[in-house]
Amino acid sequence: MTETQTRIMGVDIGGSGIKGAPVDLERGELAAERHKVLTPHPATPDEVAGCVAEVVRHFDWTGPVGITFPGVVTDGVTRSAANVDKAWLDLDARGLLSARLGGMPVTLLNDADAAGIAEMTHGAGRGRSGTVVMLTLGTGIGSALFTDGRLVPNSELGHLELNGHDAETRASVRAKEDHDLSWERWARRLNKYLAHVEMLFSPDCFLIGGGVSRKADKFLPLIEGIRAEIVPAALQNNAGIVGAAMAAAGKKTA
Ligand code: BGC
């Protein structure tokens, strides 16, 4: 790698903020303080693309850019939009974003997949083989499924059915806030959800990501009856940015 290729810009499109920074790929760390702009509401493709361009411009960046999206992405096309504007459905989002960035090459991938890629290489998943399920708990529930370090993209386990409901509407951090659930009540829901995922995939390990992983001591000790090891993510809020940059560098496995 040349000096310039050791850094790639990563941008994470989230429900509340669009944040990015150049990433030092060897260390798996931000190479500069991240820049954040508030996610516009409604989060239409044009508005969001404008914000992404603002974040990238902030660093005077030219070159490849990795970008996360909170939904299914296949070959640059956004295929689901659970928590964003429906105008993203079946959109050539990679084309739109690249055009707004003056033609810079864009790699677009699911946000949880990006966080998982970063976590498996530089965080709590490092060196883990077997089946690993990374779950990001936030506005929704994102998932990244790995087998022997290799990602199975767009797993969308947050939308499994739990007690007749879309699981993320019961067990996400937003559900905890919306229903004013205590840690104990929320942990019970999360416990049921983890048991369900375990029944389907028998993972060796769950990696628990999202901002709430900082407070893992409040809820992980309450989880019981799960065979898999349950480990809080190490990279926390920057995992998406780091993973996006890694994907743009062509790195999709640990
Ligand atoms: C989306 C996933 C996303 C997750 C976290 C879910 O609603 O369907 O694609 O990874 O939210 O943002």
Side-chain angles (χ1 to χ4, degrees), residues 31-102:
E33 197 177 325
R34 72 181 192 177
H35 184 66
K36 172 175 170 174
V37 299
L38 293 181
T39 305
H41 289 288
T44 58
D46 269 337
E47 293 287 329
V48 169
C51 295
V52 170
E54 189 184 328
V55 171
V56 173
R57 258 200 319 268
H58 176 83
F59 296 97
D60 288 327
W61 179 263
T62 49
V65 182
I67 303 175
T68 75
F69 177 75
V72 172
V73 183
T74 57
D75 211 11
V77 177
T78 42
R79 302 281 184 192
S80 75
N83 295 306
V84 286
D85 195 84
K86 301 299 172 224
W88 288 93
L89 286 173
D90 297 324
L91 178 79
D92 173 15
R94 180 174 58 201
L96 170 76
L97 289 159
S98 177
R100 286 299 283 267
L101 293 172

Coordinates of all heavy atoms in Angstrom, one line a residue, residues 31-102:
A31 N -8.4 8.7 11.5 CA -7.1 9.4 11.4 C -7.3 10.9 11.7 O -6.3 11.6 11.7 CB -6.6 9.2 9.9
A32 N -8.5 11.3 11.9 CA -8.7 12.7 12.3 C -10.0 12.7 13.1 O -10.8 11.7 13.0 CB -8.9 13.6 11.0
E33 N -10.3 13.8 13.8 CA -11.5 13.9 14.6 C -12.7 13.8 13.6 O -12.7 14.5 12.6 CB -11.5 15.2 15.4 CG -12.5 15.2 16.5 CD -12.5 16.4 17.3 OE1 -11.3 17.0 17.4 OE2 -13.5 16.9 17.7
R34 N -13.7 13.0 14.0 CA -14.8 12.8 13.1 C -15.7 14.1 13.0 O -15.7 14.9 13.9 CB -15.6 11.6 13.4 CG -16.5 11.8 14.6 CD -17.3 10.6 15.0 NE -18.3 10.9 16.0 CZ -19.1 10.0 16.4 NH1 -19.1 8.8 16.0 NH2 -20.0 10.4 17.3
H35 N -16.3 14.3 11.8 CA -17.2 15.4 11.6 C -18.6 14.9 11.5 O -18.8 13.9 10.8 CB -16.8 16.1 10.3 CG -17.6 17.4 10.0 ND1 -17.5 18.5 10.9 CD2 -18.5 17.7 9.1 CE1 -18.3 19.4 10.4 NE2 -18.9 19.0 9.3
K36 N -19.5 15.6 12.1 CA -20.9 15.1 12.2 C -21.9 16.2 11.8 O -21.7 17.3 12.2 CB -21.2 14.6 13.6 CG -22.6 14.2 13.8 CD -22.8 13.6 15.2 CE -24.3 13.5 15.5 NZ -24.5 12.8 16.8
V37 N -22.8 15.8 10.9 CA -23.9 16.8 10.7 C -25.2 16.0 11.0 O -25.3 14.8 11.0 CB -24.0 17.3 9.2 CG1 -22.7 18.0 8.8 CG2 -24.2 16.2 8.2
L38 N -26.2 16.8 11.4 CA -27.5 16.2 11.9 C -28.2 15.6 10.6 O -28.2 16.2 9.6 CB -28.4 17.2 12.6 CG -27.9 17.7 13.9 CD1 -28.8 18.7 14.5 CD2 -27.6 16.5 14.9
T39 N -28.8 14.4 10.8 CA -29.5 13.8 9.7 C -30.8 14.6 9.5 O -31.5 14.9 10.4 CB -29.9 12.4 10.2 OG1 -28.8 11.7 10.5 CG2 -30.6 11.6 9.0
P40 N -31.0 15.0 8.2 CA -32.2 15.8 7.9 C -33.5 15.0 8.1 O -33.4 13.8 8.0 CB -32.0 16.2 6.4 CG -31.1 15.1 5.9 CD -30.2 14.6 7.0
H41 N -34.6 15.7 8.3 CA -35.9 15.0 8.4 C -36.8 15.7 7.5 O -37.0 16.9 7.7 CB -36.3 14.9 9.9 CG -35.5 14.0 10.7 ND1 -35.6 12.6 10.5 CD2 -34.6 14.2 11.6 CE1 -34.8 12.0 11.3 NE2 -34.1 12.9 12.0
P42 N -37.5 15.0 6.6 CA -37.3 13.6 6.3 C -35.9 13.4 5.6 O -35.4 14.2 5.0 CB -38.4 13.3 5.3 CG -38.7 14.7 4.6 CD -38.4 15.7 5.7
A43 N -35.4 12.1 5.9 CA -34.1 11.8 5.4 C -34.2 11.3 3.9 O -34.0 10.1 3.6 CB -33.5 10.7 6.3
T44 N -34.5 12.2 3.0 CA -34.6 11.9 1.6 C -33.3 11.7 1.0 O -32.3 12.2 1.5 CB -35.4 13.0 0.8 OG1 -34.6 14.2 1.0 CG2 -36.8 13.2 1.3
P45 N -33.2 10.9 -0.1 CA -31.9 10.6 -0.7 C -31.1 11.9 -1.0 O -29.9 12.0 -0.7 CB -32.2 9.9 -1.9 CG -33.5 9.2 -1.6 CD -34.2 10.1 -0.7
D46 N -31.8 12.9 -1.6 CA -31.1 14.2 -2.0 C -30.5 14.9 -0.8 O -29.4 15.3 -0.8 CB -32.0 15.1 -2.7 CG -32.0 14.8 -4.2 OD1 -30.9 14.3 -4.7 OD2 -32.9 15.1 -4.9
E47 N -31.3 15.0 0.2 CA -30.9 15.7 1.5 C -29.7 15.0 2.1 O -28.7 15.6 2.5 CB -32.1 15.8 2.5 CG -33.2 16.7 2.0 CD -32.9 18.2 2.1 OE1 -32.1 18.5 2.9 OE2 -33.4 18.9 1.2
V48 N -29.9 13.7 2.2 CA -28.8 12.9 2.9 C -27.5 13.0 2.0 O -26.4 13.1 2.6 CB -29.3 11.4 3.1 CG1 -28.1 10.5 3.5 CG2 -30.4 11.4 4.1
A49 N -27.7 12.9 0.7 CA -26.5 12.9 -0.1 C -25.8 14.3 0.0 O -24.5 14.4 0.1 CB -26.9 12.7 -1.6
G50 N -26.6 15.3 0.2 CA -26.0 16.7 0.5 C -25.2 16.7 1.7 O -24.1 17.3 1.8
C51 N -25.7 16.0 2.8 CA -25.0 16.0 4.1 C -23.7 15.2 4.0 O -22.7 15.5 4.5 CB -25.9 15.3 5.1 SG -27.3 16.3 5.5
V52 N -23.8 14.0 3.2 CA -22.6 13.2 3.0 C -21.5 14.0 2.4 O -20.3 14.0 2.8 CB -22.9 11.9 2.2 CG1 -21.6 11.2 1.8 CG2 -23.8 11.0 3.0
A53 N -21.9 14.8 1.3 CA -20.9 15.6 0.6 C -20.3 16.7 1.5 O -19.1 16.9 1.5 CB -21.6 16.3 -0.6
E54 N -21.2 17.2 2.4 CA -20.6 18.2 3.4 C -19.6 17.6 4.3 O -18.5 18.2 4.6 CB -21.8 18.7 4.2 CG -21.5 19.9 5.1 CD -22.6 20.4 6.0 OE1 -23.8 20.2 5.5 OE2 -22.4 20.8 7.1
V55 N -19.9 16.4 4.8 CA -18.9 15.7 5.7 C -17.6 15.4 4.9 O -16.5 15.7 5.4 CB -19.5 14.4 6.2 CG1 -18.5 13.5 6.9 CG2 -20.7 14.7 7.1
V56 N -17.7 15.0 3.7 CA -16.5 14.6 2.9 C -15.7 15.9 2.6 O -14.5 15.9 2.7 CB -16.9 13.8 1.6 CG1 -15.7 13.6 0.7 CG2 -17.5 12.5 2.0
R57 N -16.4 17.0 2.2 CA -15.8 18.2 1.9 C -15.0 18.8 3.1 O -14.0 19.4 3.0 CB -16.8 19.3 1.5 CG -16.9 19.5 0.0 CD -17.6 20.8 -0.3 NE -18.7 21.1 0.5 CZ -20.0 20.8 0.2 NH1 -20.3 20.2 -0.9 NH2 -21.0 21.1 1.0
H58 N -15.5 18.6 4.3 CA -14.9 19.1 5.5 C -13.5 18.6 5.6 O -12.6 19.3 6.2 CB -15.7 18.5 6.7 CG -15.1 18.9 8.1 ND1 -15.3 20.1 8.7 CD2 -14.3 18.2 8.9 CE1 -14.7 20.1 9.8 NE2 -14.0 19.0 10.0
F59 N -13.1 17.5 5.0 CA -11.8 17.0 5.1 C -11.0 17.3 3.8 O -9.9 16.7 3.7 CB -11.8 15.5 5.4 CG -12.4 15.1 6.7 CD1 -13.7 14.8 6.8 CD2 -11.7 15.2 7.9 CE1 -14.3 14.5 8.1 CE2 -12.2 14.9 9.1 CZ -13.5 14.6 9.2
D60 N -11.6 18.0 2.9 CA -10.9 18.3 1.6 C -10.5 16.9 1.0 O -9.5 16.8 0.4 CB -9.7 19.1 1.7 CG -10.1 20.6 2.0 OD1 -11.1 21.0 1.5 OD2 -9.3 21.2 2.8
W61 N -11.4 16.0 1.1 CA -11.1 14.6 0.7 C -11.3 14.4 -0.8 O -12.4 14.8 -1.3 CB -11.9 13.6 1.5 CG -11.6 12.2 1.1 CD1 -12.3 11.4 0.2 CD2 -10.5 11.4 1.5 NE1 -11.7 10.2 0.1 CE2 -10.6 10.1 0.9 CE3 -9.4 11.6 2.4 CZ2 -9.7 9.1 1.1 CZ3 -8.5 10.6 2.6 CH2 -8.6 9.4 2.0
T62 N -10.4 13.8 -1.5 CA -10.7 13.3 -2.8 C -10.1 11.9 -2.9 O -9.0 11.6 -2.4 CB -10.0 14.1 -4.0 OG1 -8.6 14.2 -3.6 CG2 -10.6 15.4 -4.2
G63 N -10.9 10.9 -3.4 CA -10.5 9.5 -3.4 C -11.7 8.7 -3.0 O -12.8 9.1 -2.9
P64 N -11.4 7.4 -2.8 CA -12.5 6.4 -2.5 C -13.2 6.8 -1.2 O -12.5 7.2 -0.3 CB -11.8 5.1 -2.4 CG -10.4 5.3 -2.9 CD -10.1 6.7 -2.9
V65 N -14.5 6.5 -1.2 CA -15.3 6.8 0.0 C -16.2 5.6 0.3 O -16.8 5.1 -0.6 CB -16.2 8.0 -0.2 CG1 -17.0 8.3 1.1 CG2 -15.4 9.3 -0.6
G66 N -16.1 5.1 1.5 CA -17.0 4.0 2.0 C -18.1 4.6 2.8 O -17.9 5.5 3.6
I67 N -19.4 4.2 2.5 CA -20.5 4.8 3.1 C -21.5 3.7 3.6 O -21.7 2.7 2.9 CB -21.3 5.7 2.1 CG1 -20.3 6.8 1.5 CG2 -22.5 6.4 2.8 CD1 -20.9 7.7 0.5
T68 N -22.0 3.9 4.8 CA -22.9 2.9 5.3 C -24.4 3.4 5.1 O -24.6 4.6 5.0 CB -22.8 2.7 6.8 OG1 -23.3 3.8 7.5 CG2 -21.4 2.4 7.3
F69 N -25.3 2.5 5.0 CA -26.7 2.8 4.9 C -27.5 1.9 5.8 O -27.2 0.7 5.9 CB -27.1 2.6 3.4 CG -28.6 2.8 3.2 CD1 -29.1 4.1 3.2 CD2 -29.5 1.8 3.1 CE1 -30.5 4.4 3.0 CE2 -30.9 2.0 2.9 CZ -31.3 3.3 2.8
P70 N -28.5 2.5 6.5 CA -29.3 1.6 7.5 C -30.4 0.8 6.8 O -31.5 0.9 7.2 CB -29.9 2.7 8.5 CG -30.0 3.9 7.6 CD -28.9 3.9 6.6
G71 N -30.0 0.0 5.9 CA -30.9 -0.9 5.2 C -30.2 -1.8 4.3 O -28.9 -1.8 4.2
V72 N -30.9 -2.6 3.5 CA -30.3 -3.6 2.6 C -29.7 -2.9 1.5 O -30.3 -2.0 0.9 CB -31.4 -4.6 2.1 CG1 -30.8 -5.5 1.0 CG2 -31.9 -5.4 3.3
V73 N -28.5 -3.3 1.1 CA -27.8 -2.7 -0.1 C -27.2 -3.8 -0.9 O -26.4 -4.7 -0.4 CB -26.6 -1.8 0.3 CG1 -26.0 -1.2 -0.9 CG2 -27.0 -0.7 1.3
T74 N -27.7 -3.9 -2.2 CA -27.1 -4.9 -3.1 C -26.6 -4.2 -4.3 O -27.3 -3.4 -4.9 CB -28.1 -6.0 -3.5 OG1 -29.2 -5.4 -4.1 CG2 -28.6 -6.8 -2.4
D75 N -25.3 -4.3 -4.5 CA -24.6 -3.7 -5.7 C -24.9 -2.2 -5.8 O -25.3 -1.7 -6.9 CB -25.1 -4.5 -7.0 CG -24.1 -4.5 -8.0 OD1 -22.9 -4.1 -7.7 OD2 -24.4 -4.8 -9.2
G76 N -24.9 -1.5 -4.7 CA -25.0 -0.1 -4.8 C -26.5 0.4 -4.7 O -26.7 1.6 -4.7
V77 N -27.4 -0.6 -4.8 CA -28.8 -0.2 -4.8 C -29.4 -0.4 -3.4 O -29.2 -1.5 -2.8 CB -29.6 -1.1 -5.9 CG1 -31.1 -0.7 -5.8 CG2 -29.0 -0.8 -7.3
T78 N -30.1 0.6 -2.9 CA -30.7 0.4 -1.6 C -32.1 -0.2 -1.7 O -32.9 0.2 -2.5 CB -30.8 1.8 -0.9 OG1 -31.3 2.8 -1.9 CG2 -29.5 2.3 -0.4
R79 N -32.3 -1.3 -1.0 CA -33.4 -2.2 -1.2 C -34.4 -2.2 -0.1 O -35.5 -2.8 -0.2 CB -32.9 -3.7 -1.4 CG -31.9 -3.9 -2.5 CD -32.7 -3.9 -3.8 NE -31.7 -4.2 -4.9 CZ -32.1 -4.1 -6.2 NH1 -33.3 -3.7 -6.5 NH2 -31.2 -4.4 -7.1
S80 N -34.1 -1.6 1.1 CA -35.1 -1.5 2.1 C -34.9 -0.2 2.8 O -33.9 0.5 2.7 CB -34.9 -2.7 3.1 OG -33.8 -2.5 4.0
A81 N -35.9 0.2 3.6 CA -35.9 1.5 4.2 C -36.8 1.5 5.4 O -37.8 2.3 5.5 CB -36.4 2.6 3.2
A82 N -36.4 0.7 6.4 CA -37.3 0.5 7.6 C -37.3 1.9 8.4 O -38.4 2.2 8.9 CB -36.7 -0.6 8.5
N83 N -36.2 2.5 8.5 CA -36.2 3.7 9.4 C -35.7 5.0 8.6 O -35.3 6.0 9.3 CB -35.2 3.5 10.6 CG -35.8 2.4 11.5 OD1 -36.9 2.5 11.9 ND2 -34.9 1.4 11.7
V84 N -35.8 4.9 7.3 CA -35.5 6.1 6.5 C -36.6 6.4 5.5 O -37.5 5.6 5.3 CB -34.1 6.0 5.8 CG1 -33.0 6.2 6.8 CG2 -34.0 4.7 5.0
D85 N -36.5 7.5 4.7 CA -37.5 7.8 3.8 C -37.7 6.7 2.7 O -36.7 6.2 2.2 CB -37.1 9.2 3.1 CG -38.2 9.8 2.4 OD1 -39.0 10.5 3.0 OD2 -38.3 9.6 1.2
K86 N -38.9 6.5 2.4 CA -39.2 5.4 1.4 C -38.6 5.6 0.0 O -38.6 4.7 -0.8 CB -40.7 5.1 1.3 CG -41.3 4.7 2.7 CD -40.7 3.4 3.3 CE -41.2 3.2 4.7 NZ -40.2 2.8 5.7
A87 N -38.2 6.9 -0.3 CA -37.7 7.2 -1.6 C -36.4 6.4 -1.8 O -35.9 6.4 -2.9 CB -37.5 8.7 -1.7
W88 N -35.8 5.8 -0.7 CA -34.5 5.1 -0.9 C -34.8 3.7 -1.5 O -33.8 3.0 -2.0 CB -33.9 4.8 0.4 CG -33.2 6.1 1.0 CD1 -33.8 6.9 1.9 CD2 -31.9 6.6 0.8 NE1 -32.9 7.9 2.2 CE2 -31.8 7.7 1.5 CE3 -30.8 6.1 0.0 CZ2 -30.6 8.5 1.5 CZ3 -29.7 6.8 0.0 CH2 -29.5 8.0 0.8
L89 N -36.1 3.3 -1.6 CA -36.3 1.9 -2.1 C -35.9 1.8 -3.5 O -36.4 2.5 -4.4 CB -37.8 1.6 -1.9 CG -38.2 1.3 -0.4 CD1 -39.7 1.1 -0.3 CD2 -37.5 0.0 0.1
D90 N -35.1 0.8 -3.8 CA -34.7 0.4 -5.2 C -34.0 1.6 -5.9 O -34.2 1.8 -7.1 CB -35.9 -0.1 -6.0 CG -36.4 -1.4 -5.4 OD1 -35.6 -2.2 -4.9 OD2 -37.6 -1.6 -5.4
L91 N -33.3 2.4 -5.1 CA -32.6 3.5 -5.7 C -31.1 3.2 -5.9 O -30.5 2.5 -5.2 CB -32.6 4.7 -4.6 CG -31.9 6.0 -5.0 CD1 -32.8 6.8 -6.0 CD2 -31.7 6.8 -3.8
D92 N -30.6 3.7 -7.0 CA -29.1 3.6 -7.3 C -28.4 4.6 -6.4 O -28.0 5.7 -6.9 CB -28.8 3.9 -8.8 CG -27.3 3.9 -9.1 OD1 -26.5 3.4 -8.2 OD2 -26.9 4.4 -10.1
A93 N -28.4 4.3 -5.1 CA -27.8 5.2 -4.1 C -26.3 5.4 -4.3 O -25.8 6.5 -4.1 CB -28.1 4.7 -2.7
R94 N -25.6 4.4 -4.7 CA -24.2 4.6 -5.0 C -24.0 5.6 -6.1 O -23.1 6.5 -6.0 CB -23.6 3.2 -5.3 CG -22.1 3.3 -5.6 CD -21.4 2.0 -5.8 NE -22.1 1.2 -6.9 CZ -22.0 -0.1 -7.1 NH1 -21.4 -0.8 -6.2 NH2 -22.6 -0.6 -8.1
G95 N -24.8 5.5 -7.1 CA -24.7 6.4 -8.3 C -25.0 7.8 -7.8 O -24.2 8.8 -8.1
L96 N -26.0 8.0 -7.0 CA -26.4 9.3 -6.5 C -25.3 9.9 -5.7 O -24.9 11.1 -5.8 CB -27.7 9.2 -5.7 CG -28.1 10.4 -4.9 CD1 -28.7 11.5 -5.9 CD2 -29.1 10.1 -3.8
L97 N -24.8 9.1 -4.7 CA -23.8 9.6 -3.8 C -22.5 10.0 -4.5 O -21.9 11.0 -4.3 CB -23.5 8.6 -2.7 CG -24.7 8.4 -1.7 CD1 -24.6 7.1 -1.0 CD2 -24.7 9.6 -0.7
S98 N -22.1 9.1 -5.5 CA -20.9 9.3 -6.2 C -21.0 10.6 -7.0 O -20.1 11.4 -7.1 CB -20.6 8.1 -7.1 OG -19.5 8.4 -7.9
A99 N -22.2 10.8 -7.6 CA -22.4 12.0 -8.4 C -22.3 13.3 -7.5 O -21.6 14.3 -7.9 CB -23.8 12.0 -9.1
R100 N -22.9 13.2 -6.3 CA -22.8 14.3 -5.4 C -21.4 14.6 -4.9 O -21.1 15.7 -4.4 CB -23.7 14.1 -4.2 CG -25.2 14.3 -4.6 CD -25.5 15.7 -5.1 NE -25.6 16.7 -4.0 CZ -26.7 17.0 -3.4 NH1 -27.8 16.5 -3.8 NH2 -26.7 17.9 -2.5
L101 N -20.5 13.6 -5.0 CA -19.1 13.7 -4.6 C -18.2 14.0 -5.7 O -17.0 13.7 -5.7 CB -18.7 12.4 -3.8 CG -19.4 12.2 -2.5 CD1 -19.1 10.8 -1.9 CD2 -19.1 13.3 -1.5
G102 N -18.8 14.5 -6.8 CA -18.0 14.8 -8.0 C -17.3 13.6 -8.6 O -16.3 13.8 -9.2

